[in-house]
Amino acid sequence: EGCGNGACTNELCASCLGFQPLDHNAAAIRALELYKINTKLCDLHPSAAFPDNNSAEDTQPALLGDCHGKMTDNLFPPREDFREVHYLTEEKVYEILSICEGKKDYSPLIRVIGRIFSSTDGLVQSFRKDKEQHPNTKEQHPNTKEQHPNTKETTAMEQESEASASMEGATGSTENRLGPVEVSVDIEAVRRVYNRLLSNEKMESAFLNALVYLTPNVELDLTYLDVYDTNPDYLNIFIIVMENSSLHSPEYLEMAMPLFCKCMSKLPLPALAKLTCLWSQYSVEHIRRMMETFQQLITYTVTLPLRYLIHLVFYANVLGGDFDTGHNEEEEPPSSELTLQELLGEERRNKNGPRVDPLEKELGIRTLDCRRPLIPFEEFVNEPLNDVLEMDKDFTFFKVDSESKFSFQSCPFILNACTKSLGLYYDNRISMYSERRITALYSLVQGQQLNPYLRLKVRRDHIIDDALVRLEMIAIENPADLRKQLFVEFEGEQGVDEGGVSKEFFQLVLEEMFNPDIGMFTYDEFTKLFWFNPPSLENEAQFTLIGIVLGLAIYNNCILDVHFPMVVYRKLMGKKGTYLDLTDSHPVQYQSLKELLDYEGDVEEDMMITFQISQTDLFGDPITYDLKENGDKIPVSVDNRKEFVSLYSDYILNKSVERQFKAFRRGFQMVTNESPLKCLFRPEEVELLICGSRNLDFHALEETTEYDGGYNKDCHIIKDFWETVHSFGEEDKRLFLQFTTGTDRAPVGGLGKLKMIIAKNGPDTDRLPTSHTCFNALLLPEYDTKEKLKERLLKAITYAKGFGML
């Protein structure tokens, strides 16, 4: 086309009079040759930039550099470049598209898209709400609301969230809490443009190439010029790009998205927070699309800046759901006593508590605050990543806490509970080794012989008294000793604790403490769950002991058979119980309160309830409690019934058991307060960590079992053994697990994660099978018949108790 100057003297320019016309292919080859040798370009002549109202005939001679224009008319038909377009609006895109469709040539629009979408200035100014709109915009898009109902859907969702969280004191809405997020870009217009243009394959390539050219410029702007501080509308670039529904395609994942992620990592924290709040107002479909895009990118290529994008989508998902930033348990002040580490000049691990994500702090929320996210948390878990992640290396990067070392444990929501439990295991083991080393060093300095382990010697028939006295002394004298490796010894028994003895110790303590006759806990026959007994006469030390036992179980990687409602784990993590928590802890009261809230009649006249409630004490005598001052004189009505439900729930779940739960939580935190438990796990995952999985898949256990002593999976007795085990009922299967592993629960991740060993223990005999619970090993004689195998095995698992030396 040339420079447009009819008097151009550059022989390599198409505007030169002596230039011989070329077809498109020849021109392309010639252009590449000239580019290779860095040929100087002509300056664009003013006659080449023509206004919209100029006809093609008027501009043709100037473009071709031929004053006659007739000979080259067929070879080079005029093409508009729209060089006067410096930014795009929805109307301008449709105008250019209409011209291109009429000529069946989309190259002008492709060039405009490539030029504007690769320019930071052009993209920042494009699709602005404050730009003059075309008068026929509404006529051109009469079905805008029907095609893009995101605003309507979000409003409905927020109303539902407010209704479900009214008893919580939760906002349930990003707008209510943080205010509406105002941006200058017209997001709906951007979406309509993308939907119309991306159906054309050539347009899709234009967007991709433009993004590749755009990202280096954006990175430079954000790194050296602080452009967001001077122009907050710079965020429009990221808003517009992220509306592209083709970002999940392989071409984007390979060529453009890693670079774009790097640009995103350069945004200042307030910009990231604003973008998160904006996305939280999107519909579920849009958030899910972004989540899936970044999950594919994580699976495809692991780069440091990815955490910024996946964090944004995750927190947008939290902000857009039901969340409750109130109802927090009071945090215990950190101990002012010096530990051995500090006496020796070492810093205490995680002294200031668990790590806090900077974006989480900027937004003023926690994952724990979210009752119901827009997208279930489970959908954020990246299973392909969990299958290949090397947790030993990742944990090392996590502890380094360096910007140059990225760890997926800083994005715990994409890891499953099994992977995170392995990270917690490494942390606990390092802590044990650290305590052992510090004790040895202190012994050398002070000349005192201290025990590097937490040793408990107990009597079976006095297990609570012995354990309580010993652990209470440790908790008072030096709580750090609780983070040493546990070794339990039963008096009069020869068992050496390599894990199995500790498992039985935990189980016996819990059986004793949860015995309804003691009165520490109440048991609900309907839910099969335990709850703190408000009028319990037991002292706080025994509740502290149970908290310590739960903490030690996590710390020493033991599974416990405890049955608490989910609200207990939420409270342990720092949230108070509220109305919605009654669903599993007190279902009868929950149903009654729900009927009160839903009642359409005259509440005051028909129900005759006041703000005074009645309960029974330990001896069955009635006691009353005023939810408000002079509660017996305040009737519950339609106007104050929500307040009544909130106060009643708070009393049942918090105030009535405050003494017991504080002691329980104090004991739990004595062991876990310096571990990454809080920053890695959600309450439901903590329950899984303590109690294990209730789903017993013995076929998965069969697949992972190893054999020793001459046995293999094809042996006749091994086949008989598994047929026998699979024929057991649920109770016998649990007894078998208890006998072999020391617990009747599956570990986190199911029985497939359990490494059981079946070893040959001699020829046919009348002896019973035996086990090493420390190593999950079953010693099985080679019985002659299947019937004898079943009879001997059932007797062994039914009457197994105690430890001895084989």
Side-chain angles (χ1 to χ4, degrees):
E1 294 177 355
C3 65
N5 182 6
C8 181
T9 58
N10 186 353
E11 296 180 355
L12 300 176
C13 178
S15 295
C16 181
L17 288 176
F19 187 82
Q20 296 296 321
L22 304 171
D23 61 32
H24 292 304
N25 290 332
I29 295 172
R30 188 70 181 278
L32 289 173
E33 292 172 347
L34 296 175
Y35 172 75
K36 188 175 181 180
I37 60 175
N38 294 324
T39 303
K40 186 178 183 300
L41 299 177
C42 299
D43 294 327
L44 183 66
H45 194 268
S47 63
F50 49 87
D52 287 345
N53 57 358
N54 284 357
S55 65
E57 294 177 0
D58 296 332
T59 59
Q60 182 179 340
L63 284 171
L64 299 179
D66 183 357
C67 60
H68 301 288
K70 294 180 182 178
M71 185 176 69
T72 57
D73 185 34
N74 294 330
L75 287 174
F76 293 99
R79 287 193 295 178
E80 299 187 44
D81 283 340
F82 299 97
R83 293 184 181 274
E84 81 288 356
V85 177
H86 302 297
Y87 61 85
L88 290 175
T89 63
E90 185 179 12
E91 291 72 32
K92 176 58 70 175
V93 172
Y94 294 151
E95 177 187 335
I96 299 174
L97 180 62
S98 178
I99 295 173
C100 293
E101 288 175 341
K103 295 182 177 181
K104 299 187 184 306
D105 178 13
Y106 292 93
S107 55
L109 180 57
I110 291 174
R111 284 195 294 272
V112 170
I113 292 294
R115 179 160 50 84
I116 301 299
F117 273 74
S118 62
S119 165
T120 56
D121 293 336
L123 208 52
V124 167
Q125 296 298 324
S126 294
F127 306 106
R128 297 283 285 265
K129 294 177 182 177
D130 53 357
K131 298 296 181 185
E132 184 178 353
Q133 299 296 317
H134 194 281
N136 296 325
T137 300
K138 294 183 180 179
E139 295 178 8
Q140 291 175 357
H141 309 286
N143 298 323
T144 297
K145 290 185 178 180
E146 287 77 3
Q147 293 174 351
H148 304 281
N150 301 316
T151 304
K152 184 175 180 181
E153 288 178 4
T154 304
T155 304
M157 178 202 67
E158 288 170 358
Q159 290 174 351
E160 181 184 349
S161 299
E162 289 174 3
S164 65
S166 60
M167 297 300 98
E168 304 297 301
T171 63
S173 165
T174 307
E175 286 196 11
N176 289 344
R177 171 167 164 70
L178 301 169
V181 182
E182 294 294 337
V183 291
S184 58
V185 64
D186 188 344
I187 297 174
E188 293 298 328
V190 174
R191 289 173 180 170
R192 289 191 291 268
V193 168
Y194 272 128
N195 287 340
R196 189 160 177 183
L197 296 185
L198 286 177
S199 57
N200 187 313
E201 185 177 342
K202 294 181 178 179
M203 295 294 177
E204 188 170 341
S205 299
F207 284 118
L208 172 61
N209 293 329
L211 183 58
V212 171
Y213 282 105
L214 171 72
T215 46
N217 296 328
V218 174
E219 183 183 2
L220 290 173
D221 287 348
L222 291 171
T223 304
Y224 300 107
L225 300 181
D226 297 328
V227 287
Y228 180 77
D229 295 334
T230 57
N231 182 16
D233 287 337
Y234 201 84
L235 197 63
N236 291 0
I237 294 175
F238 298 93
I239 297 172
I240 293 172
V241 170
M242 286 306 302
E243 290 302 325
N244 187 336
S245 60
S246 297
L247 294 179
H248 65 281
S249 64
E251 292 80 11
Y252 277 94
L253 295 178
E254 182 178 0
M255 299 174 58
M257 288 304 291
L259 299 174
F260 185 72
C261 289
K262 191 175 182 181
C263 291
M264 179 72 78
S265 69
K266 304 292 183 180
L267 278 172
L269 202 58
L272 293 173
K274 184 176 181 180
L275 199 56
T276 303
C277 294
L278 174 67
W279 288 351
S280 72
Q281 298 174 5
Y282 284 9
S283 67
V284 174
E285 290 72 20
H286 279 86
I287 293 181
R288 178 174 278 111
R289 176 179 60 78
M290 288 191 288
M291 178 198 72
E292 291 173 350
T293 297
F294 298 131
Q295 291 286 31
Q296 287 180 334
L297 188 56
I298 288 173
T299 304
Y300 182 80
T301 175
V302 178
T303 59
L304 173 63
L306 283 178
R307 66 171 177 172
Y308 292 94
L309 286 184
I310 197 69
H311 266 100
L312 295 189
V313 180
F314 178 76
Y315 286 124
N317 180 54
V318 170
L319 278 173
D322 299 342
F323 60 94
D324 171 21
T325 54
H327 302 106
N328 298 314
E329 292 279 0
E330 294 182 5
E331 292 290 338
E332 294 262 346
S335 174
S336 59
E337 296 182 6
L338 294 177
T339 63
L340 286 180
Q341 290 95 323
E342 291 168 316
L343 286 172
L344 293 170
E346 294 198 7
E347 285 292 327
R348 185 187 300 178
R349 298 169 67 247
N350 300 330
K351 185 175 181 179
N352 298 321
R355 297 182 190 176
V356 177
D357 189 303
L359 181 57
E360 184 177 277
K361 187 175 181 180
E362 180 76 17
L363 293 169
I365 63 163
R366 299 176 298 169
T367 304
L368 184 63
D369 295 331
C370 187
R371 277 284 184 179
R372 185 184 62 183
L374 290 177
I375 301 172
F377 289 126
E378 292 75 17
E379 293 192 30
F380 277 85
V381 175
N382 190 313
E383 291 298 347
L385 171 69
N386 282 270
D387 291 339
V388 300
L389 185 62
E390 298 178 12
M391 277 303 294
D392 51 348
K393 293 182 180 178
D394 191 80
F395 175 77
T396 304
F397 295 156
F398 180 65
K399 300 305 290 185
V400 166
D401 193 20
S402 169
E403 287 297 323
S404 62
K405 298 293 185 181
F406 172 69
S407 167
F408 280 102
Q409 289 185 81
S410 63
C411 306
F413 48 85
I414 63 176
L415 303 178
N416 58 34
C418 184
T419 303
K420 288 188 284 189
S421 67
L422 188 57
L424 185 65
Y425 172 80
Y426 288 139
D427 186 84
N428 292 340
R429 288 293 162 181
I430 289 176
S431 178
M432 291 177 186
Y433 296 148
S434 175
E435 292 291 341
R436 199 179 306 166
R437 181 178 61 85
I438 290 295
T439 301
L441 184 59
Y442 187 80
S443 298
L444 290 174
V445 173
Q446 296 294 322
Q448 301 176 11
Q449 189 63 35
L450 299 180
N451 197 328
Y453 302 100
L454 174 59
R455 292 191 180 274
L456 295 178
K457 187 173 184 178
V458 296
R459 296 166 292 175
R460 277 187 182 273
D461 51 350
H462 295 84
I463 192 167
I464 294 297
D465 295 335
D466 293 349
L468 181 62
V469 170
R470 179 70 180 129
L471 291 174
E472 192 172 17
M473 288 177 60
I474 293 172
I476 293 173
E477 294 175 358
N478 187 15
D481 282 356
L482 295 173
R483 291 186 287 276
K484 295 178 179 178
Q485 187 172 355
L486 177 65
F487 282 98
V488 176
E489 179 184 349
F490 285 104
E491 193 173 283
E493 299 182 18
Q494 298 174 308
V496 177
D497 190 8
E498 292 291 340
V501 182
S502 297
K503 293 176 186 177
E504 182 160 1
F505 164 75
F506 286 130
Q507 201 58 45
L508 292 175
V509 168
L510 292 175
E511 285 178 5
E512 188 76 20
M513 301 293 268
F514 283 92
N515 187 338
D517 295 337
I518 293 182
M520 293 180 65
F521 296 92
T522 59
Y523 182 69
D524 190 314
E525 291 289 348
F526 177 73
T527 61
K528 310 296 184 186
L529 298 174
F530 287 94
W531 182 248
F532 298 90
N533 189 5
S536 172
L537 299 179
E538 300 295 330
N539 58 38
E540 294 182 11
Q542 294 198 336
F543 288 99
T544 302
L545 173 61
I546 297 182
I548 291 175
V549 166
L550 258 65
L552 287 175
I554 292 178
Y555 196 65
N556 291 272
N557 203 34
C558 290
I559 303 296
L560 301 181
D561 184 20
V562 294
H563 305 272
F564 279 133
M566 184 55 62
V567 64
V568 170
Y569 302 101
R570 283 181 57 81
K571 286 168 70 68
L572 280 175
M573 300 293 277
K575 298 297 290 186
K576 287 185 176 180
T578 55
Y579 164 64
L580 294 179
D581 291 310
L582 293 172
T583 50
D584 61 339
S585 65
H586 299 77
V588 176
Q589 287 92 327
Y590 172 79
Q591 189 60 37
S592 299
L593 293 175
K594 187 175 185 302
E595 290 174 1
L596 171 62
L597 291 173
D598 296 339
Y599 189 69
E600 297 179 355
D602 190 330
V603 173
E604 185 174 348
E605 291 293 330
D606 297 345
M607 295 194 174
M608 302 180 66
I609 308 173
T610 67
F611 274 76
Q612 184 181 80
I613 61 176
S614 176
Q615 287 187 316
T616 58
D617 62 14
L618 196 62
F619 305 102
D621 298 327
I623 54 174
T624 58
Y625 177 81
D626 287 346
L627 298 176
K628 296 175 65 174
E629 188 177 354
N630 298 321
D632 59 326
K633 299 176 182 178
I634 305 175
V636 177
S637 63
V638 173
D639 297 329
N640 64 15
R641 60 182 173 182
K642 288 184 179 179
E643 182 187 10
F644 172 81
V645 169
S646 179
L647 291 174
Y648 184 87
S649 304
D650 182 52
Y651 174 75
I652 293 294
L653 297 175
N654 303 310
K655 291 183 177 178
S656 67
V657 296
E658 184 174 11
R659 178 181 65 88
Q660 296 90 328
F661 183 77
K662 274 191 173 180
F664 172 74
R665 187 176 181 223
R666 189 185 311 119
F668 184 78
Q669 290 183 335
M670 282 180 183
V671 187
T672 63
N673 65 337
E674 292 186 7
S675 82
L677 183 73
K678 265 192 174 182
C679 64
L680 290 181
F681 294 88
R682 302 191 308 274
E684 56 270 26
E685 293 175 324
V686 174
E687 180 190 30
L688 190 62
L689 202 62
I690 295 174
C691 305
S693 174
R694 297 178 183 178
N695 181 27
L696 301 182
D697 184 359
F698 273 79
H699 292 284
L701 178 61
E702 182 180 357
E703 290 293 324
T704 58
T705 295
E706 298 176 0
Y707 304 94
D708 195 12
Y711 284 158
N712 60 63
K713 65 179 181 178
D714 298 320
C715 289
H716 181 70
I717 188 172
I718 295 299
K719 292 180 179 179
D720 288 345
F721 168 80
W722 284 115
E723 288 177 7
T724 300
V725 171
H726 291 314
S727 69
F728 284 170
E730 187 72 17
E731 185 61 29
D732 286 338
K733 285 181 177 179
R734 292 193 179 279
L735 287 174
F736 170 76
L737 273 183
Q738 181 76 45
F739 173 75
T740 310
T741 67
T743 178
D744 65 352
R745 297 293 188 96
V748 179
L751 287 179
K753 299 296 181 179
L754 185 67
K755 300 301 181 184
M756 190 175 79
I757 300 172
I758 300 179
K760 186 175 181 179
N761 192 24
D764 182 44
T765 179
D766 288 334
R767 286 186 298 142
L768 298 175
T770 53
S771 65
H772 293 302
T773 54
C774 304
F775 309 106
N776 303 327
L778 175 67
L779 305 182
L780 185 67
E782 192 172 8
Y783 298 114
D784 287 342
T785 64
K786 183 177 179 182
E787 291 73 19
K788 186 175 182 179
L789 167 65
K790 183 174 183 179
E791 184 268 333
R792 296 278 87 188
L793 184 59
L794 279 173
K795 183 170 288 188
I797 66 177
T798 305
Y799 299 101
K801 195 173 227 183
F803 293 89
M805 298 295 289
L806 296 177

